[in-house]
Amino acid sequence: MSQTQSNVNDDVTQIYEEVSDWHVNTGDQKVVAKRVKGRFRLRKWIGMSVWLIFFLGPYLRWNGQQAILFDIPEREFNFFQLTIYPQDIWMLSLTLLFFAILLAAVTSIAGRVFCGYFCFQTVWTDIYTFIETKLEGDSPQKVMKFKQAPWSIDKVTRVLTKHTLWIAIALITGISFAAWFTDAYQLWPDIFTLQAPLPVWISMAVFGVFTYVFAGFMREQVCFWLCPYARLQGVMYDQDTILPAYDAERGEPRGKLKKGQLEDESKGSCIDCKVCVAVCPTGIDIRKGQQEGCITCGMCIDACDSIMDKTNQPRGLIRYASYKELHHDKNVLPMYKRPRVIIYSLILLTALSGVIYGFFTLSPTEFQVIHDRQPLYVRLSDGGIQNKYTLKMLNKTKTPIEVRYDVLGLEGATLHGMSDKITVEPGKVVPVTALVRVPDDKVTKGLMPIEFKAEVINNSAISTSYESMFMAPE
C-alpha cells in the first residue's frame, strides 16, 4: 500500500516538474490585467476598502477635537478620549509587534494575503489601472491600438483625464497622510491659502511623486524589485501553506476547445485559454507553478472558475491548495497542530494582552522622583540630614492640575524649598527641586524608605505617590 502511494506521489511530482517554469517579469512588457468578476474580486474590493480609514479617519471628531491625532510638536497621540505620551511607547512597540507577527502568521497560513488584498502598492495600482483601462482599453491589444492611434481631440482628452485623476489621487494621498498630524479641517484652508507648514508641502511632494510613479508606471515592478516583503514573505511558506495553485494532474495535457467540439477524454481540463494569465496583476502564469510575482490575490481563480462554468466542468482547476494537497500527501497537519502557527498565536496573544492591559491601566498623571547623587546627603548645622530630590509631574489630562507635595513614611521628615502648590498644564512636565530634612535623632540607619505624595487639589481621584530612599551616613 505504501509502495503504491509512493508511486502515485512520484507520478504527480513528475507532472508538476514538467509544467513548472520560473519566470521573472523584468518590466520589458507592460502588464495590462483584464478585470473579471468573482468572489475573490469582491474580497479584494472589501480588503481595499480598509484604506478608507486612511482617508476619512482624520475627519472624525470627539468632544469637539480631532478623534485621532499624532501631535508631534506636543509629543502626544490622541486616540478619542485617550492621550498617549512618549512614556507609554512600550504600548506602541507591542502594537507594532502584534501586526508584524500577524503578517507572519497569515503568510504562513495563506501566503501573501497582505500583498494581494491590503498592500498600499497593490491597492493604489489597482485604482490607477482601473482608471487606465476605462480610458485606454482593458487588454494589451486595445492599449497598443490606443497608443498607435494618431493624436486626436478624443485621445488627448483621455490621456489628460487619466493623468489628472492620477495626480489628484497622489496629492490627496499626501494630504491625507499630513491630516493625521494636524487639524484635518484646518489643513485644507491652509493649503489653498498657501499657509500650510513646510512638513505638509513635503508630505504632498513625497507621497505625490512616489504614488504617481509607483502606482502609475512601475506597478508590479515595485513588488519584484523594491519591496522587501516580497522576499520576506516568500520564505515563510511551508508545505501546508495554502496558495493559488494549478491542479496540473487534472489540467494536463492541455488542449484547445473549439465551439461544438465534444469533450476529449485524452486531454485535461485546461483548455489553454490563458485567461488566468490575462487577469494576473503581475503577469505571471500560475500554471507554471508558484512564482515570485504571485501575490495570492486569487484573480486567476475567478478567471478559471468562469471558464470551467462555460465549459461545464467542475470548478477548482486553479484553487487555494497546499503543496501536500496537490501531491496527495496524507500527512497534512491541521492548522492548530502546526508549530509555527502555535508560536505565532502565542506571541500575538501576549502582545495583544499587553496592549489591552496598557489601555486599561493608563494613568492620567505620571509622577517620578529622582534622588540627586552629588552629594548624596548634607549634614546641617543642627546635626540633621538633608537630601535633595527632583520631583517631576506629567499631566496627561486635558485640563490644568494643581499639585501639593508631601513626604510620608519617615518620622520627622519635612519638605522644604518649594511652593505650597504647583500648577501643571495639560501635556506638560513640571520639575521642582525638593529638600527633605530629618532630625539627627530620627536617623536610624544609612538607607531609609520614604514616600512622596503628590496630591492633586482640584481632582483628588488622580492623586499619586512615589516610593524612594533617604540616605544618611552609616
Side-chain angles (χ1 to χ4, degrees):
M1 181 66 181
S2 60
Q3 182 64 36
T4 303
Q5 180 65 35
S6 177
N7 292 336
V8 171
N9 290 344
D10 291 341
D11 292 341
V12 173
T13 301
Q14 185 178 357
I15 292 173
Y16 282 99
E17 288 178 350
E18 290 174 355
V19 300
S20 65
D21 179 33
W22 185 259
H23 171 71
V24 177
N25 183 354
T26 57
D28 52 342
Q29 184 177 1
K30 183 177 180 180
V31 176
V32 181
K34 184 178 180 180
R35 290 176 178 266
V36 294
K37 295 181 180 179
R39 52 198 171 116
F40 289 101
R41 178 75 253 186
L42 177 60
R43 292 171 187 174
K44 187 167 185 175
W45 280 118
I46 294 173
M48 292 167 58
S49 66
V50 171
W51 281 97
L52 291 174
I53 298 174
F54 172 76
F55 292 100
L56 302 178
Y59 301 95
L60 294 176
R61 311 301 282 184
W62 185 265
N63 292 333
Q65 295 181 332
Q66 190 162 318
I68 305 174
L69 177 64
F70 296 90
D71 195 341
I72 293 179
E74 296 297 328
R75 296 187 299 175
E76 60 184 42
F77 168 37
N78 296 304
F79 186 77
F80 292 90
Q81 65 182 10
L82 294 176
T83 301
I84 300 174
Y85 290 88
Q87 290 80 358
D88 305 309
I89 193 67
W90 62 272
M91 292 177 56
L92 175 60
S93 301
L94 285 179
T95 303
L96 295 177
L97 174 64
F98 174 83
F99 284 108
I101 298 300
L102 179 63
L103 177 63
V106 172
T107 302
S108 68
I109 295 171
R112 293 167 59 184
V113 174
F114 172 77
C115 295
Y117 295 90
F118 303 102
C119 173
F120 42 85
Q121 174 64 22
T122 301
V123 172
W124 267 251
T125 298
D126 199 76
I127 298 298
Y128 272 47
T129 53
F130 175 79
I131 295 171
E132 185 177 65
T133 55
K134 291 297 183 182
L135 293 171
E136 297 182 1
D138 59 357
S139 68
Q141 295 78 15
K142 292 180 180 179
V143 171
M144 184 61 66
K145 181 179 179 181
F146 178 83
K147 289 187 177 299
Q148 293 177 347
W151 286 98
S152 62
I153 295 177
D154 178 66
K155 183 175 181 178
V156 171
T157 302
R158 288 175 179 268
V159 172
L160 287 177
T161 301
K162 180 185 78 171
H163 287 281
T164 300
L165 292 174
W166 282 7
I167 293 172
I169 293 172
L171 291 177
I172 292 174
T173 301
I175 294 172
S176 298
F177 178 79
W180 291 89
F181 299 90
T182 186
D183 187 272
Y185 287 95
Q186 184 59 39
L187 178 62
W188 287 94
D190 289 346
I191 291 174
F192 285 115
T193 58
L194 303 181
Q195 299 298 315
L198 181 61
V200 173
W201 302 112
I202 294 176
S203 172
M204 291 174 61
V206 172
F207 277 85
V209 170
F210 280 98
T211 302
Y212 179 70
V213 173
F214 281 6
F217 299 95
M218 294 188 67
R219 299 182 181 178
E220 76 284 346
Q221 295 303 304
V222 174
C223 304
F224 276 108
W225 308 113
L226 297 182
C227 179
Y229 284 111
R231 305 293 190 272
L232 294 175
Q233 292 186 84
V235 301
M236 297 177 188
Y237 299 168
D238 58 27
Q239 293 187 358
D240 290 299
T241 303
I242 58 170
L243 304 164
Y246 168 64
D247 190 344
E249 185 180 8
R250 172 188 162 187
E252 300 298 319
R254 308 168 195 171
K256 295 288 186 180
L257 183 64
K258 296 181 181 179
K259 187 175 182 180
Q261 180 182 351
L262 296 176
E263 184 178 348
D264 189 349
E265 294 184 357
S266 65
K267 295 181 179 179
S269 295
C270 179
I271 63 173
D272 204 22
C273 62
K274 295 184 175 62
V275 176
C276 57
V277 182
V279 301
C280 180
T282 60
I284 68 168
D285 188 344
I286 194 64
R287 299 172 301 173
K288 294 180 179 180
Q290 185 57 219
Q291 304 287 318
E292 178 189 9
C294 180
I295 58 175
T296 66
C297 62
M299 298 300 101
C300 54
I301 300 178
D302 283 340
C304 187
D305 284 349
S306 68
I307 298 300
M308 292 296 102
D309 291 343
K310 293 176 182 179
T311 57
N312 296 319
Q313 298 188 73
R315 291 185 171 190
L317 179 59
I318 299 177
R319 64 183 185 274
Y320 267 96
S322 68
Y323 178 91
K324 287 184 177 179
E325 177 188 342
L326 293 174
H327 289 75
H328 303 287
D329 190 333
K330 292 185 177 181
N331 298 317
V332 177
L333 289 175
M335 188 182 303
Y336 64 88
K337 289 186 177 181
R338 293 172 59 186
R340 67 172 63 190
V341 174
I342 295 174
I343 294 172
Y344 288 150
S345 299
L346 291 175
I347 299 175
L348 283 174
L349 183 61
T350 302
L352 184 60
S353 300
V355 173
I356 294 175
Y357 170 80
F359 273 113
F360 279 100
T361 58
L362 275 178
S363 171
T365 60
E366 185 163 317
F367 182 39
Q368 187 178 16
V369 178
I370 303 173
H371 190 290
D372 280 15
R373 295 184 178 274
Q374 292 184 350
L376 292 176
Y377 60 87
V378 174
R379 184 175 291 278
L380 304 175
S381 58
D382 61 358
I385 302 298
Q386 175 179 284
N387 282 199
K388 184 179 180 182
Y389 300 86
T390 300
L391 313 183
K392 293 183 177 181
M393 173 64 80
L394 168 63
N395 180 11
K396 296 182 180 180
T397 68
K398 296 297 183 182
T399 57
I401 60 175
E402 293 183 342
V403 183
R404 179 186 293 121
Y405 295 110
D406 197 4
V407 287
L408 305 171
L410 182 56
E411 186 180 358
T414 55
L415 201 57
H416 302 269
M418 57 193 308
S419 303
D420 179 56
K421 59 182 180 180
I422 307 296
T423 301
V424 186
E425 297 295 330
K428 300 298 182 181
V429 177
V430 177
V432 295
T433 299
L435 302 176
V436 178
R437 296 171 183 171
V438 178
D440 183 53
D441 59 340
K442 301 300 182 182
V443 177
T444 58
K445 51 185 177 180
L447 209 58
M448 296 174 288
I450 187 172
E451 181 180 355
F452 288 83
K453 182 181 179 181
E455 179 188 358
V456 180
I457 300 173
N458 52 345
N459 188 355
S460 60
I462 62 174
S463 297
T464 184
S465 62
Y466 191 97
E467 293 182 355
S468 184
M469 301 299 294
F470 185 87
M471 297 182 183
E474 293 289 348

